[in-house]
Amino acid sequence: MTMLDDRTTAETTWPTAYPEGYAVVDVETTGLARDDRIISAAVYRLDAQGNVEDHWYTLVNPQRDPGPVWIHGLTSDMLQDAPLFKDIAEEFAGRLADRVLVAHNAMFDWQMIAREYARAAGTAPVRQRLCTIALSKELNLPLPNHKLESLAAHFGVVQQRAHHALDDARVLAEAFRPSLHAAARDGVRLPLLECRPLTEWSDSPVTPRIGRQASYGSGNSWRPSRKRPPCPHPNPGRFEDGKPLKQGMRIAFSGDTSVDRELLEDRAVEAGLHVATSVSRLTSLLVTNDPDSATSKTVKAKSFGTPVVDEAAFTHLLRDVAAADG
């Protein structure tokens, strides 16, 4: 049962510019960094109106420790006989082909999938993605936060096994359909983003094999430290509401993010933005999901009058970054 009624479907004039089909995807992983791996994947294929055509699920042997078992529930023993990603890559690709990839925090799911295909010397057949967080913002849904459970509750969708790829994909598919119909009814442009194949990733200096449980979340980080190259564009000044981001803008991040911070920073750098480690009078924009917190960055942003947006809004802005002057 969802908040979408039969009248909505009957009265909707379907926009011709909307995609012909969607692949609602969820992947569970060993962690959130570049060297982490997919351990399970699920795909719900939907038609142009968001109706379910079929679904698919698989475990994946990551050839390393499974990471936070207390979150996803997948142990080394459960994964040791699962297929490798290269063995399911063709089937997975068939599920994604000629469809828009839909996910909650779609940038994360896409980059994890793209890196797995790069490791397997292949490319995922995905050209566009749609983040349901960005869509909920476009629809102005009255959600308390950007969690999947909040989106599900809004549309009356019942979660059965949170952080299980198949159930998370089901929940998202059921919540996406009324969102899609609401967008079509109100003439909302879908927040589609280009999916660019990735060919660069980093493996851990020491890669624990599956069967050995590492101390995930301890003082040791899976992420190797690295220094970013300087931004090649001059700082054009502060971000202005209603206008696009511009290459060279100094972007700072504060607090927890639903997508791994490094992935957000990578996307910003790829778009030609300058990722700043602190807030100053030169900062163009602060990205935080908790603007009322008392972190040094949010305090400085308030004192300097620095514009502030949340993670979902920032991800939306990244789809259309203006070129630097000159």
Side-chain angles (χ1 to χ4, degrees), residues 254-272:
S254 178
D256 292 335
T257 52
S258 53
V259 174
D260 181 48
R261 173 78 64 82
E262 189 177 46
L263 298 181
L264 283 177
E265 292 176 352
D266 282 350
R267 187 70 179 86
V269 170
E270 289 171 3

Side-chain angles (χ1 to χ4, degrees), residues 137 238-242 245 250-255 279-280 283-293 295-315 317:
K137 296 279 289 186
R238 288 184 170 179
F239 167 75
E240 296 181 40
D241 190 31
L245 293 170
R250 297 176 65 93
I251 310 299
F253 297 87
S254 178
V279 172
S280 71
T283 303
S284 306
L285 182 69
L286 175 66
V287 180
T288 178
N289 289 326
D290 189 6
D292 296 323
S293 66
T295 67
S296 61
K297 290 180 181 178
T298 55
V299 170
K300 286 183 179 179
K302 288 179 181 179
S303 68
F304 296 145
T306 304
V308 178
V309 300
D310 65 17
E311 176 186 357
F314 178 69
T315 303
L317 287 167

